[in-house]
Amino acid sequence: MTDTELTDATRAWPDHDPATKRTVPESSVPVDQDRVEKLMAQEWERFSSSTTGSSAHHARALGTLPLGVTSSFQYWEPHPIAIESAKGAWLTDVDGRQLLDLSMGFGAMLVGHLHPLVVEYVTKALESGTLFVTPSPSATSVAELFQKRFNLEQLRFANSGTEATMYAVKAARVFTGRRGIIKIEGGYHGGYDALSVSVKPEVAEAGPEESPIPVVPFEAEAGIVHVVPYNDLDRLEAIFAEHGDEISAVVMEPVLENISIVLPDAGYLQGVRETCDRHGALLVFDEVKTGLTAGYAGASRRLGVTADLITLAKSIGGGLPLAAFGGRADIMATISDGRMWHFGTYNGNPLVMAAAAAVDEICTEEALDHAEEINNGALDALDEVIARYELPAHTVGFGVKGAVTWATAPVRNYRDYKRTDFGTAELSWLWGVNRGILTPPGLDEQWLVSVAHTQDDMGLLVQEFEELAQALRA
Ligand SMILES: Cc1ncc(COP(=O)(O)O)c(C=O)c1O
């Protein structure tokens, strides 16, 4: 990373949707990269000496689990922190340390850990059975709640975001009679082959910035997949112009939440909608991460652009494995009339449905607005620290989520994201971990203010961030 890239002011900040939050740094001074490296070495030493229990646990777990973890996202070097229990907004690790959880299960724990209502409903469900594999009023009731809240004509449940997005793609293919899809470069949608194209490709392999080529992992049988940069309607139109008759759907997160948070330019999502309509393709919004964290009815409703299908997971399940896909009844009819199969032994099981009913009750407009206010307060306070220390960074927020992006140039797509300062981002994450604040590992994620977090909790994040700013400028 060069200073020129860090302070690139040659491209204006575009307008963004007013339902989202982003600051524009007025002035900034590059951070001293030697200092970043020195601080990083100190912090890793501090990490190792304060997490000996996690280290021992990791050594044991390596004996059975690849990388010592149950999902590769959980891993980091030299070892991840092993957690024993969680309550509200707090985690306890195997070393007995309390950590403020700002990862919140990658955004799944929107209602907080062990919310009393989730515990009550799930405990009650345990009295009447864990799995029927038959229709049940508990599943029908939750389907009705989702239908109303997310404005879906029909929906089906699944167990993970991967499954939900896979079935949405299948439904789009069957409905349109076309096999191809378009996805966003850098977009993550779980493990389904077609959607694992160009998730986080090496830039050297990914072709020109304005016309990226699909990068297909060796193990994937992806089929016809085109990739386009986010926030680029011209490239989308160009792909449709050339390949329109083979494209069933554009599959995208309305707000990218797997490369920090990348917001839509004003009018972009509406433009995608219109482009899909012009070419007879469907629009699928993957709301696995946005969902309830974007507001009462998800990102689609909040941003005012309606997709043909949406996928949901994480925040809707209160920490239990729940996903859903749904939307237009004529598309979901591909299941009713036997044109497509949708199965799943655990779909709509009573335990998960009980948790979903509790989440629906907890996530009122007021509860989510309150969490968002706390989030916005934290973003404002971080902006103030960034401005005071002239850090080459800015904040981005959407709903109850937020992130600090270490760049002063606008991040509008994957290539912009790759130009951000990953070294300082890693130091910032580690600095927090060493001071009892766990934001998601991997630098690609964002924090989540759950309904269990308080303003004081977020004050801890601001405080440790200011200490980092002082150390960077010392
Ligand atoms: C946008 C998005 N879609 C789909 C998935 C896959 O969800 P799951 O991990 O439940 O399979 C994820 C997971 O992080 C995601 O972020």
Side-chain angles (χ1 to χ4, degrees):
M1 155 114 333
T2 68
D3 290 352
T4 327
E5 282 167 330
L6 270 174
T7 57
D8 177 6
T10 55
R11 295 156 68 200
W13 289 79
D15 285 343
H16 57 284
D17 198 295
T20 62
K21 191 171 188 314
R22 181 176 59 194
T23 53
V24 180
E26 299 227 319
S27 67
S28 68
V29 176
V31 290
D32 175 351
Q33 293 295 330
D34 290 341
R35 183 177 295 275
V36 170
E37 263 178 46
K38 213 171 119 215
L39 288 170
M40 192 103 86
Q42 278 171 21
E43 291 299 317
W44 277 121
E45 241 179 75
R46 179 170 166 166
F47 176 82
S48 294
S49 61
S50 59
T51 57
T52 49
S54 285
S55 171
H57 175 267
H58 183 61
R60 175 183 152 209
L62 281 173
T64 46
L65 300 162
L67 292 175
V69 293
T70 54
S71 159
S72 297
F73 280 132
Q74 297 171 3
Y75 177 71
W76 75 73
E77 282 178 353
H79 57 261
I81 292 175
I83 299 298
E84 217 146 38
S85 64
K87 182 117 174 82
W90 292 84
L91 303 167
T92 305
D93 73 6
V94 294
D95 287 286
R97 301 180 321 154
Q98 294 278 298
L99 293 148
L100 177 66
D101 190 0
L102 284 176
S103 168
M104 295 307 278
F106 294 126
M109 301 308 307
L110 175 63
V111 297
H113 297 283
L114 295 180
H115 189 290
L117 201 67
V118 174
V119 174
E120 183 191 322
Y121 283 17
V122 171
T123 307
K124 194 143 178 268
L126 278 170
E127 291 166 8
S128 42
T130 55
L131 189 65
F132 312 138
V133 295
T134 67
S136 169
S138 62
T140 306
S141 299
V142 174
E144 286 163 356
L145 292 173
F146 284 9
Q147 180 182 51
K148 196 156 162 237
R149 184 188 275 263
F150 296 105
N151 198 22
L152 308 172
E153 289 173 354
Q154 292 242 290
L155 65 135
R156 274 281 178 93
F157 296 117
N159 307 287
S160 70
T162 294
E163 265 182 83
T165 50
M166 174 180 77
Y167 279 114
V169 169
K170 289 181 182 222
R173 285 180 180 150
V174 170
F175 181 76
T176 59
R178 303 169 179 176
R179 287 223 162 78
I181 59 165
I182 299 177
K183 77 177 282 291
I184 302 291
E185 187 182 45
Y188 175 71
H189 305 280
Y192 178 45
D193 284 18
L195 294 170
S196 60
V197 175
S198 294
V199 168
K200 297 226 171 74
E202 292 296 331
V203 169
E205 293 170 22
E209 183 162 348
E210 52 298 332
S211 52
I213 55 170
V215 178
V216 185
F218 175 76
E219 73 279 12
E221 293 280 3
I224 303 166
V225 181
H226 301 276
V227 291
V228 293
Y230 188 67
N231 276 324
D232 185 342
L233 288 174
D234 290 343
R235 185 62 191 160
L236 184 66
E237 182 59 47
I239 294 284
F240 267 118
E242 208 177 325
H243 306 279
D245 54 0
E246 66 183 26
I247 304 299
S248 63
V250 172
V251 183
M252 63 188 296
E253 289 188 279
V255 172
L256 300 191
E257 291 198 351
N258 281 286
I259 48 171
S260 186
I261 298 176
V262 180
L263 303 174
D265 293 351
Y268 169 64
L269 295 177
Q270 188 56 40
V272 175
R273 175 71 275 178
E274 286 161 16
T275 309
C276 288
D277 290 345
R278 253 197 326 279
H279 294 277
L282 303 184
L283 176 58
V284 178
F285 276 165
D286 179 351
E287 292 230 39
V288 166
K289 286 200 88 176
T290 51
L292 293 176
T293 74
Y296 182 83
S300 171
R301 294 283 289 280
R302 177 166 190 159
L303 297 170
V305 177
T306 305
D308 299 296
L309 291 177
I310 66 164
T311 60
L312 295 159
K314 297 194 196 284
S315 57
I316 56 171
L320 277 78
L322 172 61
F325 66 102
R328 277 171 46 188
D330 58 344
I331 303 170
M332 297 304 280
T334 54
I335 300 173
S336 323
D337 65 21
R339 275 178 289 163
M340 126 169 191
W341 284 344
H342 170 242
F343 298 130
T345 300
Y346 296 101
N347 292 352
N349 69 76
L351 285 192
V352 171
M353 292 296 105
V359 169
D360 187 74
E361 215 171 305
I362 297 160
C363 290
T364 58
E365 301 258 16
E366 297 71 40
L368 294 176
D369 284 353
H370 179 65
E372 185 166 334
E373 255 170 53
I374 294 177
N375 187 37
N376 287 342
L379 287 163
D380 290 343
L382 291 165
D383 287 343
E384 196 276 317
V385 175
I386 288 169
R388 192 147 36 87
Y389 290 85
E390 294 187 294
L391 297 175
H394 63 277
T395 61
V396 194
F398 185 52
V400 297
K401 290 186 168 187
V404 172
T405 298
W406 288 89
T408 54
V411 174
R412 298 176 54 242
N413 56 40
Y414 177 63
R415 303 298 174 104
D416 287 341
Y417 165 76
K418 290 295 280 184
R419 280 187 282 266
T420 64
D421 179 355
F422 284 86
T424 310
E426 183 183 343
L427 173 64
S428 176
W429 166 78
L430 180 59
W431 188 272
V433 171
N434 280 341
R435 285 151 189 82
I437 296 178
L438 187 65
T439 50
L443 312 180
D444 301 330
E445 302 271 336
Q446 55 291 130
W447 67 74
L448 174 126
V449 177
S450 77
V451 302
H453 285 81
T454 64
Q455 201 174 333
D456 285 352
D457 291 335
M458 294 311 286
L460 297 173
L461 174 73
V462 177
Q463 188 187 323
E464 64 84 4
F465 186 77
E466 174 150 17
E467 284 164 19
L468 170 67
Q470 280 164 0
L472 284 170
R473 294 305 192 207

